[in-house]
């Protein structure tokens, strides 16, 4: 029998962050279904830190995460974000909060930053100058190594199959054996609703959306080019090693699964980047896909379940789960430990609950 104060389910960036924060105070067991941590979405991101991205509730979570990234010293590398506009389809950016972080740029300034842009795409350009590229595995290792040093026990190939609460404890049935803990943090990414259901907690209605990325062959890429994306979010690209990381910014709904890149989505990425630039990209050296998982209002879901307070949500991090990981981990840990910063109500699972759902759960 594995015993601890808290079980964190999922060893992606959210789970290791929560384990790191919690293990400073309580005993933690981290349960991961795969043989390796960070196998799913965390290992597949575009690795950007963009304060103006994700909407108005996400911006402050990203900003509050910046000090931890900066304190480590090696986790961020400057990579400004240049936002351009399709001259044929002017649009507003649904996930771009802007505010004071985005600054208007003249076409000449935009072209100076990225000379391969077609000039007509630079009208109305904007820039987030302090955007950064993140060393995602470095952050993951910072959290995981720190949690281990604080005594957290990590179990890989440990899928949570079922669970119930009895006698003041959660009794979890896992592929690594039975687990008994006082509280559970659900950081299972695309599977967070599945895990909740397996534990008898009402799901919040998460939707995993497939996003594809690839590295296009382009030997002459300038490593100093910014991340370039359009306001309507139909593509982005940035230098990556000897080539360019490209994405069609797709959002295809899917069941939780091990996502794979689709050839058509890769072709769309090449086509869209070529339409906005003179790059003339033709092929990619590697491609992948990951599941960006959103709640119904696209904001994260963090904190105790309203019907079962010993079950803490840490889910729905969409396309901003790396850049917000430090602050969301702190908020989740405070929620479990019952102290510290007050959790913003806007992030609570309560916003998705009907009274029927609350009554049903209260009967258990
Ligand atoms: C192409 C792409 C680009 C992105 N770009 C960015 C970006 O630039 N910046 C940014 O901040 N974010 C970005 N994201 C989003 C970011 O990657 C995610 O928000 C983040 O990785 C989510 O982390 P997570 O820990 O919640 O999920 P995951 O990394 O998926 O971790 C969840 C873990 O839970 C485990 N699990 C599931 N069910 C169980 C179970 N029953 N028992 C035990 N374990 C279980 C899974 O195996 C998995 O390891 C991008 C995502 C994609 C796909």
């Amino acid at each position: 029998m594995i015993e601890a104060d808290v079980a964190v389910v999922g060893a992606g960036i959210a789970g290791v962050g929560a384990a790191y924060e919690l293990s400073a105070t309580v005993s933690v067991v981290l349960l991961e279904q795969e043989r390796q941590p960070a196998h799913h979405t965390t290992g597949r991101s575009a690795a950007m830190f963009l304060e103006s991205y994700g909407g108005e509730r996400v911006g402050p979570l990203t900003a509050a995460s910046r000090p931890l990234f900066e304190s480590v010293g090696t986790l961020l590398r400057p990579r400004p974000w240049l936002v351009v506009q399709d001259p044929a389809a002017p649009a507003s950016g649904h996930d771009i909060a802007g505010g004071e972080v985005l600054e208007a740029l003249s076409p000449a300034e935009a072209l100076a930053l990225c000379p391969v842009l077609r000039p007509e795409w630079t009208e109305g350009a904007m820039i987030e100058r302090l955007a950064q590229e993140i060393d995602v595995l470095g952050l993951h290792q910072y959290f995981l190594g720190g949690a281990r040093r604080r005594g957290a026990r990590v179990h890989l190939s440990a899928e949570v199959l079922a669970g119930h609460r009895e006698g003041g404890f959660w009794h979890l049935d896992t592929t690594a054996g039975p687990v008994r803990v006082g509280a559970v943090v659900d950081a299972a990414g695309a599977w967070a609703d599945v895990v909740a259901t397996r534990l008898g907690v009402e799901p919040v209605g998460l939707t995993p959306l497939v996003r594809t990325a690839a590295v296009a062959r382009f030997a002459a890429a300038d490593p100093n080019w910014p991340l370039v994306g359009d306001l309507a979010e139909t593509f982005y690209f940035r230098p990556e090693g000897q080539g360019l990381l490209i994405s069609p910014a797709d959002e295809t709904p899917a069941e939780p699964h091990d996502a794979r890149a689709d050839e058509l989505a890769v072709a769309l990425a090449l086509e869209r980047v070529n339409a906005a630039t003179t790059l003339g990209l033709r092929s990619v050296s590697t491609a992948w896909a990951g599941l960006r998982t959103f709640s119904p209002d696209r904001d994260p879901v963090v904190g105790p379940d309203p019907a079962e307070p010993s079950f803490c949500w840490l889910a729905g991090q969409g396309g901003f789960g790396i850049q917000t990981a430090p602050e969301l981990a702190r908020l989740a840990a405070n929620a479990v430990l019952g102290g510290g910063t007050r959790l913003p109500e806007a992030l609570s699972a309560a916003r998705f609950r009907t009274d029927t759902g609350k009554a049903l759960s209260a009967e258990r």
Side-chain angles (χ1 to χ4, degrees):
M1 166 88 77
I2 301 166
E3 292 182 296
D5 294 320
V6 182
V8 177
V9 184
I13 202 72
V16 296
Y20 172 76
E21 291 294 339
L22 284 163
S23 56
T25 313
V26 292
S27 62
V28 173
V29 58
L30 180 59
L31 305 169
E32 167 55 50
Q33 67 182 359
E34 301 292 348
R35 281 179 296 169
Q36 295 293 330
H39 172 77
H40 288 287
T41 313
T42 294
R44 308 175 190 199
S45 86
M48 289 300 301
F49 181 99
L50 310 170
E51 270 190 43
S52 55
Y53 186 73
E56 62 184 31
R57 288 203 205 290
V58 173
L61 298 170
T62 306
S65 296
R66 191 187 278 268
L68 183 134
F69 281 106
E70 290 180 343
S71 73
V72 177
T74 50
L75 294 177
L76 297 180
R77 184 162 65 150
R79 175 80 66 200
W81 182 23
L82 178 57
V83 182
V84 296
Q85 295 227 43
D86 182 349
S92 60
H94 63 101
D95 261 342
I96 300 176
E100 290 166 12
V101 184
L102 277 180
E103 193 185 304
L105 272 193
S106 70
E109 288 170 314
L111 276 172
L113 283 169
C114 189
V116 291
L117 280 167
R118 294 187 193 277
E120 60 272 26
W121 281 74
T122 57
E123 287 292 338
M126 293 181 286
I127 189 163
E128 180 178 326
R129 290 194 191 275
L130 296 180
Q132 309 282 326
E133 204 176 302
I134 301 169
D135 173 0
V136 177
L137 292 184
L139 177 66
H140 190 274
Q141 193 46 44
Y142 173 84
F143 283 145
L144 185 59
R148 279 195 164 118
R149 279 191 294 280
R150 290 170 169 180
R153 283 161 291 151
V154 182
H155 291 266
L156 302 174
S157 303
E159 180 181 356
V160 175
L161 301 168
H164 67 280
R165 194 159 172 86
E166 194 181 307
F169 291 101
W170 280 101
H171 302 267
L172 307 180
D173 177 14
T174 82
T175 49
V179 174
R180 193 179 79 155
V181 289
V184 171
V185 176
D186 181 358
W191 288 265
D193 264 351
V194 174
V195 167
T197 306
R198 288 179 180 181
L199 269 56
V201 171
E202 188 185 348
V204 290
L206 299 168
T207 307
L209 302 177
V210 178
R211 173 148 300 184
T212 311
V215 177
R217 293 188 178 91
F218 191 76
D222 179 339
N224 294 318
W225 283 344
L227 170 76
V228 178
D230 65 324
L231 191 58
E233 209 181 339
T234 64
F235 73 87
Y236 59 79
F237 67 91
R238 67 161 171 78
E240 171 75 19
Q242 296 301 301
L244 286 172
L245 187 152
I246 61 171
S247 173
D250 44 341
E251 292 200 340
T252 310
E255 292 299 313
H257 71 293
D258 197 355
R260 294 266 181 271
D262 170 89
E263 273 182 28
L264 282 177
V266 174
L268 200 58
L270 289 167
E271 186 185 312
R272 289 178 176 172
V273 174
N274 285 338
T277 65
T278 54
L279 286 162
L281 303 176
R282 299 175 66 150
S283 64
V284 303
S285 54
T286 179
W288 65 93
L291 300 176
R292 296 155 82 246
T293 297
F294 288 91
S295 75
D297 62 11
R298 292 177 77 94
D299 286 332
V301 186
V302 185
D305 186 85
E308 183 50 80
S310 62
F311 178 98
C312 178
W313 290 92
L314 181 52
Q317 296 91 334
F320 43 80
I322 312 293
Q323 63 185 32
T324 55
E327 180 62 3
L328 289 181
R330 271 193 296 268
L331 291 174
N334 285 338
V336 172
L337 300 171
T341 327
R342 201 162 159 270
L343 199 69
E345 273 177 28
L347 302 183
S348 166
R351 70 194 195 272
F352 303 120
R353 283 296 152 74
T354 61
D355 288 345
T356 325
K358 282 182 193 165
L360 277 178
S361 301
E363 275 172 26
R364 289 191 318 109

